[in-house]
Amino acid sequence: VWKQFRKWDPRVRLSLDPPEPRVGFALVRAARSSPPLRFCQAEQIEGQLHRAAVDFIGNGGVIIDREKGTMSVSRIFRDYSRDFGGDQGVMRFIADHLESPDDAGCLRSRAGKLKVQFQEFNWALNRAI
């Protein structure tokens, strides 16, 4: 709803513009329902951020039930939807990071028709991998 840093804040020069939404899958809340904390190496950052997003989505961050026409989505996608480019950007991002081609096809063809539910956070401490 508001920018994290104002124009005059010296931290602005250290922030990414536009935001990199995959960072949220490596460094995020310390909650059990959040992605595991990860250590990344600069020379491998692209692959590591991609893998972090795919792992989080594939391990319960997004659950598609084709029969019921529902999709259970981590609240990270709601809380940071602007970083993904809004609701449509969230759907594109998820489809691009699903390991199952069937789920990706279902999401792309039925994105506006699936009922979306947001998962609750489990605030137990996270683990580092």
Side-chain angles (χ1 to χ4, degrees), residues 9 19 22 24 30 45 52 66 70 72 76 81 85 95 109-111 113:
D9 191 316
R22 297 176 302 173
I45 194 72
R66 287 182 236 140
T70 61
S72 173
I76 290 171
S81 68
S109 66
R110 298 174 62 190
K113 299 171 187 150

Side-chain angles (χ1 to χ4, degrees), residues 39-56:
F39 297 94
C40 297
Q41 298 172 324
E43 61 276 357
Q44 298 174 10
I45 194 72
E46 283 299 316
Q48 290 172 331
L49 290 177
H50 178 78
R51 186 79 246 160
V54 168
D55 287 349
F56 177 71

Side-chain angles (χ1 to χ4, degrees), residues 101-115:
D102 292 339
D103 283 345
C106 173
L107 181 55
R108 285 189 175 100
S109 66
R110 298 174 62 190
K113 299 171 187 150
L114 292 172
K115 180 180 178 186

Side-chain angles (χ1 to χ4, degrees), residues 63-76:
I63 301 168
I64 297 173
D65 186 328
R66 287 182 236 140
E67 289 181 19
K68 292 181 181 177
T70 61
M71 186 164 108
S72 173
V73 180
S74 168
R75 292 180 93 145
I76 290 171

